[in-house]
Amino acid sequence: MNQPQTTPTHGCHTHTASAPPVAGVGWRQPHYTQVLAEKPALAFLEVHSENFFAPGGAALAVLMAGRAHYPISLHGVGLSLGSATGLDDWHLDQLARLSERVDPIRISDHASFARGNWPRAHTTLPVHAADLLPVPWTNEALAVMATNVQRVQDRLRRPIAVENLSAYLQWAEADWSEPAFLAELSRRTGCGLLVDVNNLMVNARNRHLANPTVSPAKLVAECCGWINELTHHLGPTPARASHAHHPAIAEIHLAGHTHAGDIVIDDHGSRVSEPVWAVYAHALACWGPVPSLIEWDTDIPALDVLLAEARRAEQLTRCTTTTTSTTTTAAIAAATRPTNPPRPAAPTQGPAHGHA
């Protein structure tokens, strides 16, 4: 099984100079004008689908102006693919109309649910939670999600990509591990997978909140183990050209997260952390040059900050081999060591809660 790949820092094995770019950024309102004026070198722009459901207006006009210069990826948060009550017909119709208008390079949403039935008198009413709620990794939940994903793909007449979740709770029932569940979903429906490596790190950190001595190297190794398991369950693939990536992996997301004291939150409000970069390098080693996105949705910085993160992703893509890494655990620890070593705790204090 592949060992985790470290983030290259010195000389590297490259693909070739002709390799197409892979890195894009989430295109948010503060950067609309600057991106259109400067047209920075990016592989694609990604937007939230639901923000452009209106049939006209300024928002759609801006999106179409961007579409004239870049491929557009439509990333949704409202399909509720894991809902046992089925899909919202209106939502799916709006997404289909937007897809026909934009002709996006990819369409994606999450392996989650947000819709349910609320009992009311002698009937039930559909309700929609403004959140991405985790599904149980059970056979029943897999059948529900596969049915919903297939319905979306039939309506859109194209495959979609399904993203792993940053989940702050999990169900006790499980017939599958998360990577096995997602691999089987891809096998049954032909959908792609969008792997958010920051979500993997958020989940790993939350699992270890009660143990502040867990090292970044252990967290990186857990996330890389998730990637290895997914790769195993996806099964063998045909030999790929040097610029091709694993056919089942449609996209990778990179973002920042924050430690809020009693929980680690996937807030998309800071630079990608060094441990997440290390997990990303391992994903590239396993899957090849997958299209990759820098997500930044809160405390949005200057565009140059996002572009610098995208350049780093691009550099890692060119510096990471697609052969099995033999990196040792000690090397991973070195790659993820903090720049400034932590100061020892005062003798009268216990360990800081939740820091890993």
Side-chain angles (χ1 to χ4, degrees), residues 170-194:
Q170 66 180 23
W171 297 82
E173 301 87 358
D175 300 310
W176 307 75
S177 66
E178 181 184 23
F181 182 102
L182 293 174
E184 179 64 12
L185 177 70
S186 178
R187 187 193 69 79
R188 291 188 189 185
T189 68
C191 74
L193 298 177
L194 191 166

Side-chain angles (χ1 to χ4, degrees), residues 266-281:
D266 175 39
D267 66 344
H268 300 177
S270 58
R271 289 180 182 271
V272 179
S273 70
E274 290 304 317
V276 171
W277 282 120
V279 177
Y280 176 61

Side-chain angles (χ1 to χ4, degrees), residues 6-352:
T6 57
T7 304
T9 55
H10 300 295
C12 64
H13 300 286
T14 62
H15 299 301
T16 66
S18 61
V22 302
V25 300
W27 195 27
R28 306 298 180 249
Q29 188 276 332
H31 300 145
Y32 284 173
T33 300
Q34 188 176 358
V35 166
L36 291 176
E38 298 178 6
K39 301 179 183 63
L42 292 164
F44 63 98
L45 300 175
E46 187 159 287
V47 299
H48 289 148
S49 309
E50 290 83 2
N51 291 340
F52 301 91
F53 277 0
L60 186 59
V62 168
L63 180 59
M64 296 311 296
R67 178 66 182 85
H69 302 287
Y70 298 96
I72 298 294
S73 177
L74 297 178
H75 185 54
V77 296
L79 274 174
S80 192
L81 294 171
S83 173
T85 62
L87 303 173
D88 183 317
D89 292 336
W90 179 89
H91 190 288
L92 184 54
D93 287 344
Q94 303 314 303
L95 180 59
R97 182 173 64 181
L98 182 63
S99 174
E100 291 171 1
R101 181 76 179 265
V102 175
D103 188 22
I105 191 171
R106 280 177 296 280
I107 300 176
S108 57
D109 210 299
H110 299 77
S112 64
F113 81 99
R115 281 170 52 80
N117 285 328
W118 188 266
R120 186 74 176 271
H122 302 293
T123 185
T124 58
L125 296 175
V127 293
H128 194 286
D131 207 342
L132 300 170
L133 303 174
V135 300
W137 309 124
T138 61
N139 292 323
E140 183 181 15
L142 178 58
V144 165
M145 189 172 292
T147 296
N148 289 338
V149 167
Q150 193 60 61
R151 183 181 168 204
V152 172
Q153 294 182 148
D154 290 346
R155 180 70 173 83
L156 301 179
R157 299 190 297 277
R158 61 185 295 164
I160 64 169
V162 178
E163 179 183 350
N164 60 297
L165 204 62
S166 57
Y168 306 107
L169 56 88
Q170 66 180 23
W171 297 82
E173 301 87 358
D175 300 310
W176 307 75
S177 66
E178 181 184 23
F181 182 102
L182 293 174
E184 179 64 12
L185 177 70
S186 178
R187 187 193 69 79
R188 291 188 189 185
T189 68
C191 74
L193 298 177
L194 191 166
V195 176
D196 189 316
V197 293
N198 183 62
N199 287 353
L200 297 180
M201 183 58 66
V202 167
N203 292 342
R205 293 192 67 183
N206 280 325
R207 280 194 298 272
H208 292 287
L209 275 178
N211 183 4
T213 64
V214 172
S215 68
K218 178 175 175 57
L219 296 172
V220 169
E222 282 192 14
C223 297
C224 292
W226 191 102
I227 288 170
N228 290 343
E229 184 181 350
L230 177 62
T231 305
H232 168 74
H233 286 296
L234 288 172
T237 61
R240 303 192 302 271
S242 60
H243 303 335
H245 59 83
H246 194 295
I249 309 298
E251 191 174 319
I252 294 175
H253 276 186
L254 293 153
H257 59 266
T258 187
H259 194 304
D262 59 349
I263 194 171
V264 178
I265 300 174
D266 175 39
D267 66 344
H268 300 177
S270 58
R271 289 180 182 271
V272 179
S273 70
E274 290 304 317
V276 171
W277 282 120
V279 177
Y280 176 61
H282 181 68
L284 295 175
C286 291
W287 300 329
V290 180
S292 302
L293 179 83
I294 303 298
E295 286 190 293
W296 207 312
D297 295 302
T298 62
D299 297 327
I300 296 176
L303 178 61
D304 286 348
V305 176
L306 270 73
L307 297 180
E309 296 283 270
R311 284 193 297 271
R312 183 168 182 183
E314 202 72 63
Q315 180 186 28
L316 276 172
T317 302
R318 283 156 173 68
C319 290
T320 304
T321 66
T322 54
T323 60
T324 301
S325 168
T326 58
T327 306
T328 64
T329 301
I332 300 168
T336 58
R337 186 177 297 125
T339 303
N340 298 313
R343 289 178 291 181
T348 58
Q349 297 177 342

